[in-house]
Amino acid sequence: MTHANGATEQAVAGGLLRRLNETLPLTPEWTAAYEGVPRHRFLPDTVWLGDGLAPCDRRQHPGAWLRAAYDDEAVVTQINDGADPGDGERWPSCSASAPSIVFRMLHMLNVRDGDRVLEIGTGTGWNAGLLAHRLGSDLVTTIEVDPALAERAAENLKGAGLAPRVVTGDGAVLDMGHEWDRLLATCSVRKVPPGWAARMKPGGVMLLPWETPWLCYGLLRLVADADGSAVGTFHPHSAFMLMRGQRTDLRIFRDVVGDDHVPDERSTPLPPWSVTGDDWAAQFAIGLQIPDVWWTWHEGPDVEGVSARLWLATTDATSWAAVDYDGQTDDRFTVWEHGRRRLWSEVEAAHRWWRGHACPGPGQFGMTVAPDGRHTPWLGAPNWPVPRSK
């Protein structure tokens, strides 16, 4: 590294630190970790930027690459699980989270000197490096399901003079043998994997990005009890890639809708964009109530009189619904439903319940995870469960 390069890196890193302190002042311990574990040293030479996932190579575009390293934005560090997509679709499979959410989560985790911490989802290794700098490498274990990512992260950590334990495997099923004071996931979950709460010390904290098939949004902060249960509340403003073992790969016309399906027809006054648009609170509440339903828009379908169609389906692909917008009428929409369940009816009921409870936001909801793995979402307090579709 030349002196000029080093000075440039210090300058852009210092600029990000100032921006972080404007929104979430870092404690002296985390400031020292930020300065001692430079983010750019944990990024691969090629990252992918923007909605189109355009490749940015450090050797060809060093300035753009360094700016990406110290923007307060997520940086995609792997696509297509490491496979070459060729001319096919690119999709993100690993990223370095935006620094502001990284430090907000570390703040929420509230680690103390001597805490033993388990991280699920090593990724680049930067998060594990920050924790190891703060606590000491011997107190941090990080698990990565992708062998190539795990190997690269271990090299990154070694290069930074840190040596937390890096384990290759599925964090959803591995029993790491210890009892943990803190557990941090850097991938979203739709269910808390069995056994996580049971491996926590009483009073231990788990911080997990949350997702339903309806919406990827929010953080769930749980506190473990001695009986293997955990209870806690949701917090807004985050979106992470889903844990690989909980992914679903479904397409409406490939997997769900059959040529022989004859759906029932009716109409609805509920605009489909009311439950799929920018109202994250509505989407979050609906996702908690119908946790196995997903949706996708089909703009300009080849159907006479239909400008756009909203599709809904269950994750087991046995029931589906479609809501048609003709491009003009905004108070009545045609609904098609097929299968054992009437999915748009379930959405209408979920939306009606949410409005009837004064349109609560994600931060007003919580979750209880029982020792047997049952998940019970609630509004306001654990004794006020959220209704869920059967």
Side-chain angles (χ1 to χ4, degrees), residues 7-155:
T8 301
E9 290 164 356
Q10 291 178 6
V12 294
L16 175 59
L17 180 59
R18 288 190 294 273
R19 295 194 299 275
L20 292 174
N21 277 316
E22 291 173 358
T23 56
L24 178 68
L26 273 61
T27 64
E29 294 85 356
W30 289 123
T31 298
Y34 174 89
E35 294 173 338
V37 189
R39 187 180 190 234
H40 71 275
R41 295 186 182 178
F42 287 77
L43 299 185
D45 286 338
T46 299
V47 296
W48 290 264
L49 305 177
D51 294 338
L53 295 179
C56 178
D57 189 283
R58 180 181 192 174
R59 293 152 296 194
Q60 297 177 1
H61 305 286
W65 185 94
L66 188 61
R67 286 193 298 273
Y70 287 103
D71 280 342
D72 189 16
E73 300 288 345
V75 178
V76 174
T77 56
Q78 185 196 66
I79 60 173
N80 297 67
D81 287 343
D84 183 357
D87 295 330
E89 178 186 4
R90 294 174 181 170
W91 46 273
S93 52
C94 182
S95 68
S97 300
S100 56
I101 188 62
V102 167
F103 283 100
R104 183 160 72 93
M105 291 175 69
L106 292 172
H107 175 76
M108 292 173 65
L109 199 63
N110 190 29
V111 297
R112 307 156 300 183
D113 291 346
D115 277 348
R116 187 180 294 277
V117 179
L118 177 64
E119 179 192 42
I120 308 295
T122 310
T124 66
W126 189 52
N127 214 61
L130 295 170
L131 285 164
H133 190 285
R134 166 68 180 84
L135 295 169
S137 292
D138 59 324
L139 292 175
V140 178
T141 296
T142 180
I143 302 176
E144 173 57 54
V145 70
D146 186 310
L149 293 179
E151 181 178 1
R152 186 187 306 154
E155 293 173 355

Side-chain angles (χ1 to χ4, degrees), residues 9-365:
E9 290 164 356
Q10 291 178 6
V12 294
L16 175 59
L17 180 59
R18 288 190 294 273
R19 295 194 299 275
L20 292 174
N21 277 316
E22 291 173 358
T23 56
L24 178 68
L26 273 61
T27 64
E29 294 85 356
W30 289 123
T31 298
Y34 174 89
E35 294 173 338
V37 189
R39 187 180 190 234
H40 71 275
R41 295 186 182 178
F42 287 77
L43 299 185
D45 286 338
T46 299
V47 296
W48 290 264
L49 305 177
D51 294 338
L53 295 179
C56 178
D57 189 283
R58 180 181 192 174
R59 293 152 296 194
Q60 297 177 1
H61 305 286
W65 185 94
L66 188 61
R67 286 193 298 273
Y70 287 103
D71 280 342
D72 189 16
E73 300 288 345
V75 178
V76 174
T77 56
Q78 185 196 66
I79 60 173
N80 297 67
D81 287 343
D84 183 357
D87 295 330
E89 178 186 4
R90 294 174 181 170
W91 46 273
S93 52
C94 182
S95 68
S97 300
S100 56
I101 188 62
V102 167
F103 283 100
R104 183 160 72 93
M105 291 175 69
L106 292 172
H107 175 76
M108 292 173 65
L109 199 63
N110 190 29
V111 297
R112 307 156 300 183
D113 291 346
D115 277 348
R116 187 180 294 277
V117 179
L118 177 64
E119 179 192 42
I120 308 295
T122 310
T124 66
W126 189 52
N127 214 61
L130 295 170
L131 285 164
H133 190 285
R134 166 68 180 84
L135 295 169
S137 292
D138 59 324
L139 292 175
V140 178
T141 296
T142 180
I143 302 176
E144 173 57 54
V145 70
D146 186 310
L149 293 179
E151 181 178 1
R152 186 187 306 154
E155 293 173 355
N156 293 340
L157 289 160
K158 182 178 179 181
L162 300 164
R165 185 184 179 197
V166 180
V167 178
T168 303
D170 186 351
V173 299
L174 284 180
D175 182 355
M176 298 308 299
H178 294 291
E179 285 192 335
W180 304 94
D181 299 286
R182 299 289 187 269
L183 185 151
L184 176 68
T186 61
C187 54
S188 62
V189 297
R190 292 177 175 175
K191 288 187 176 181
V192 180
W196 278 12
R199 299 309 304 170
M200 301 298 296
K201 293 180 181 178
V205 174
M206 298 189 290
L207 186 61
L208 319 171
W210 185 255
E211 174 173 325
T212 63
W214 197 268
L215 178 68
C216 176
Y217 187 79
L219 297 168
L220 176 59
R221 188 180 190 273
L222 296 167
V223 177
D225 203 345
D227 64 358
S229 65
V231 62
T233 54
F234 289 100
H235 302 261
H237 309 310
S238 73
F240 283 73
M241 295 179 192
L242 185 62
M243 174 175 277
R244 293 193 182 185
Q246 296 187 10
R247 290 176 179 172
T248 52
D249 179 21
L250 293 171
R251 305 290 178 92
I252 286 292
F253 296 113
R254 185 191 69 187
D255 306 305
V256 179
V257 178
D259 292 338
D260 60 339
H261 289 179
V262 181
D264 296 325
E265 179 183 358
R266 66 180 181 89
S267 64
T268 180
L270 178 63
W273 48 82
S274 294
V275 295
T276 61
D278 294 333
D279 194 333
W280 305 115
Q283 289 201 56
F284 187 85
I286 290 168
L288 287 182
Q289 294 176 76
I290 48 174
D292 63 342
V293 177
W294 56 283
W295 59 268
T296 185
W297 275 100
H298 186 181
E299 300 288 346
D302 188 17
V303 179
E304 184 178 356
V306 179
S307 173
R309 172 171 285 174
L310 174 67
W311 289 98
L312 294 74
T314 54
T315 53
D316 64 4
T318 60
S319 296
W320 60 264
V323 185
D324 288 347
Y325 172 53
D326 63 9
Q328 300 177 2
T329 307
D330 59 6
D331 59 355
R332 185 63 55 176
F333 308 87
T334 301
V335 177
W336 309 90
E337 292 175 305
H338 182 272
R340 179 179 60 85
R341 292 167 57 179
R342 292 296 179 256
L343 296 188
W344 189 250
S345 298
E346 293 183 17
V347 170
E348 288 173 317
H351 188 260
R352 188 164 53 248
W353 177 90
W354 174 72
R355 288 181 59 86
H357 286 79
C359 305
Q364 295 172 260
F365 289 94

